């Protein structure tokens, strides 16, 4: 009991970090993707003859291990690390441009014009995959790292108000799920005349989340595992939130026009904030029915988890709207750059609204999932997506210059064909939707994307096992880093082995 209370105190009562530090953390993630792409293209080219162990090692060392360092021992100098990596990346791209094999006789203006008119394979949108996978990876790192002293306390979930890494991680999961939801991909068009059946199908689809929520609840209570009660409540957990938000959002989107999801997102967040400001709801969420923080009764015991779902529904609706816009069919590079400009403008507007909301209403609160929290989550998600898209375009430009047309989890350049044959070429490339054993078989990003729920579940299980076997609170820096690296490697290698054997563990 004493150890449990000690660990609960170790992860409680924090105020988060700054908006700038959160943003720098996101930039560090995408730089890893850029360097990994350059390493594979420059040193391996089109070859996949090397053993899968070598590709796993490269992906883990470049994509995952640096993130563990960024979240633990490097935060004090992370802005300098990011600056140096960004400068080296720019220099590297210029070096590739001057040594280009393709269009060597052309001037820069002609090269850029040719690049903008390049046609892309549209069977996948790599930066969406990268966004979703990195949300999973960073969350996986943080849920265990927070129990070690090398994890800066300002990155942990804020008690009432604040912006920690882990505050964003929870909401980013909701946004990333909405981004690729059936509504965002417009798959519900085929059932537009059977809307109730479609809603029922969505309810059935979330049963694994409800089951996992129950398993977590029973296991945590039965082994007396430490938990942060003010996070979701006494019995509630994040799996329940994911399930209920999906169900509520599906019903709303069945009754309302999907293309107006952003209106309902804003309306829900504004109405919820109005209730927080004009009623006793805020006091109830923060201090309970008696004002003393008691947990009597189911709603009172789980007030944070239950009422924060309103904010998460707003985030989900915003994610659906973003998904509809991003998933729109675009063939040329210049079309995607225009889309990126629209996302950048939207991000800037949301950032202004966030500052206004924090100045005039109240700061970001994950505990209540208030209006500021919704604005911050959506703004940060669009910013993160934009960063991944920028890296995708940089790697695509390198492919365009060098003639190397394939690299895992990035856009493929379609061969130059007449305009009337482009659609036919796209249909012929539909096989790329499946695992292409010559290009993505050895890709860790694709491996995690293939079994995302399994990866997240593994992270939760191994986090519990580590906490039962290691005195995390008093671990040295070396032991902490070693355990975290081993933990992430175990999480990665399991889904990686499933991927190279063409196995997807999804049975619902």
């Amino acid at each position: 009991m004493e150890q449990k209370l000690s660990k609960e105190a170790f992860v409680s009562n924090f105020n988060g970090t700054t908006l700038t530090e959160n943003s720098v953390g996101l930039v560090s993630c995408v730089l890893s993707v850029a360097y990994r792409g350059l390493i594979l293209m420059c040193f391996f080219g089109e070859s996949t003859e090397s053993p899968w162990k070598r590709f796993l090692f490269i992906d883990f060392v470049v994509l995952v291990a640096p993130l563990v360092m960024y979240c633990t021992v490097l935060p004090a100098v992370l802005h300098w690390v990011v600056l140096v990596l960004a400068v080296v990346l720019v220099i590297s791209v210029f070096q590739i441009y001057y040594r280009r094999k393709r269009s060597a006789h052309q001037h820069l203006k002609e090269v850029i014009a040719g690049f903008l008119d390049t046609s892309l394979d549209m069977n996948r949108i790599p930066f969406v995959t990268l966004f979703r996978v990195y949300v999973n990876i960073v969350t996986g790192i943080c849920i265990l790292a927070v129990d070690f002293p090398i994890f800066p306390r300002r990155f942990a979930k804020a008690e009432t108000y604040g912006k920690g890494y882990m505050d964003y991680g929870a909401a980013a999961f909701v946004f990333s799920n909405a981004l690729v939801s059936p509504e965002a991909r417009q798959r519900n068009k085929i059932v537009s005349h059977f809307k109730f059946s479609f809603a029922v199908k969505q309810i059935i689809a979330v049963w694994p989340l409800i089951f996992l929520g129950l398993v977590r609840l029973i296991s945590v209570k039965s082994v007396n595992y430490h938990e942060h009660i003010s996070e979701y409540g006494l019995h509630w957990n994040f799996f329940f939130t994911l399930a209920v938000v999906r169900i509520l959002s599906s019903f709303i989107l069945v009754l309302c026009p999907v293309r107006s999801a952003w209106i309902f997102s804003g309306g829900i967040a504004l109405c919820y904030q109005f209730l927080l400001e004009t009623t006793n709801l805020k006091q109830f969420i923060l201090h309970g029915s008696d004002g003393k923080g008691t947990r009597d009764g189911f709603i009172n015991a789980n007030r944070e988890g239950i009422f924060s779902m309103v904010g998460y529904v707003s985030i989900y609706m915003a994610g659906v709207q973003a998904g509809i816009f991003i998933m729109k069919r675009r063939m040329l590079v210049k079309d995607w750059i225009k889309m990126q400009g629209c996302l950048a403008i939207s991000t800037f507007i949301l950032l202004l609204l966030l500052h206004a909301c924090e100045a005039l209403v109240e700061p970001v609160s994950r505990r209540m999932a208030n209006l500021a929290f919704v604005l911050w989550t959506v703004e940060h998600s669009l910013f993160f997506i934009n960063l991944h898209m920028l890296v995708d375009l940089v790697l695509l430009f390198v492919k365009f210059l060098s003639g190397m047309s394939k690299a895992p989890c990035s856009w493929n350049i379609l061969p130059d064909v007449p305009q009337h044959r482009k659609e036919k070429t796209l249909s012929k490339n539909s096989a790329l939707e499946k695992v292409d054993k010559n290009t993505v078989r050895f890709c860790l990003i694709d491996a995690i994307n293939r079994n995302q729920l399994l990866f997240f579940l593994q992270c939760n299980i191994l986090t519990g096992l580590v906490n039962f076997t290691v005195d995390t609170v008093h671990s040295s820096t070396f032991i902490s880093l070693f355990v975290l690296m081993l933990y992430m490697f175990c999480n990665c290698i399991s889904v990686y082995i499933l991927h190279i054997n063409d196995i997807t563990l999804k049975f619902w």
Side-chain angles (χ1 to χ4, degrees), residues 182 206 273 373:
V206 302
Q273 187 64 48
F373 180 72

Side-chain angles (χ1 to χ4, degrees), residues 36-142:
R36 179 261 202 164
L38 290 180
I39 289 171
L40 291 179
M41 283 192 286
C42 294
F43 295 100
F44 292 89
E46 300 284 341
S47 174
T48 55
E49 296 299 322
S50 299
W52 63 266
K53 296 176 185 177
R54 181 178 298 180
F55 286 100
L56 174 60
F57 175 77
I58 292 170
D59 278 359
F60 184 80
V61 169
V62 180
L63 296 176
V64 180
L67 266 63
V68 176
M69 305 290 286
Y70 298 156
C71 292
T72 53
V73 295
L74 292 178
V77 294
L78 186 56
H79 56 292
W80 291 113
V81 174
V82 167
L83 180 62
V84 170
L85 290 175
V87 170
V88 173
L89 177 63
V90 172
I91 294 173
S92 300
V93 173
F94 270 104
Q95 286 293 320
I96 293 171
Y97 168 73
Y98 285 117
R99 297 178 182 178
R100 66 190 185 278
K101 298 177 183 177
R102 184 173 176 174
S103 305
H105 61 285
Q106 293 182 332
H107 296 294
L108 178 61
K109 187 176 181 180
E110 295 173 313
V111 172
I112 292 176
F115 174 66
L116 293 177
D117 287 326
T118 299
S119 298
L120 304 176
D121 167 51
M122 287 310 305
N123 287 301
R124 63 183 303 171
I125 304 177
F127 62 86
V128 172
T129 300
L130 287 166
F131 167 75
R132 300 184 72 238
V133 168
Y134 260 90
V135 166
N136 227 324
I137 292 174
V138 175
T139 302
I141 293 171
C142 289

Side-chain angles (χ1 to χ4, degrees), residues 266-282:
I268 291 169
L270 287 169
C271 290
Y272 178 52
Q273 187 64 48
F274 179 77
L275 290 176
L276 288 173
E277 297 299 322
T278 58
T279 67
N280 293 324
L281 180 58
K282 183 187 296 186

Side-chain angles (χ1 to χ4, degrees), residues 237-265:
N237 59 57
F238 189 52
F239 290 109
F240 291 144
T241 294
L242 287 176
V244 177
V245 166
R246 172 75 178 274
I247 292 170
L248 292 175
S249 300
S250 294
F251 270 105
I252 294 173
L253 292 170
V254 160
L255 298 173
C256 306
V258 176
R259 290 191 171 276
S260 301
W262 68 276
I263 298 176
F264 294 98
S265 173

Side-chain angles (χ1 to χ4, degrees), residues 137 330 442:
I137 292 174
R330 299 173 180 87
F442 301 133

Side-chain angles (χ1 to χ4, degrees), residues 345-355 375 378-379 382:
I345 293 170
S346 301
T347 303
F348 181 69
I349 292 172
L350 287 168
L351 184 61
L352 294 179
L353 291 175
L354 171 62
H355 284 301
L375 290 171
V378 179
E379 177 270 327
L382 295 182

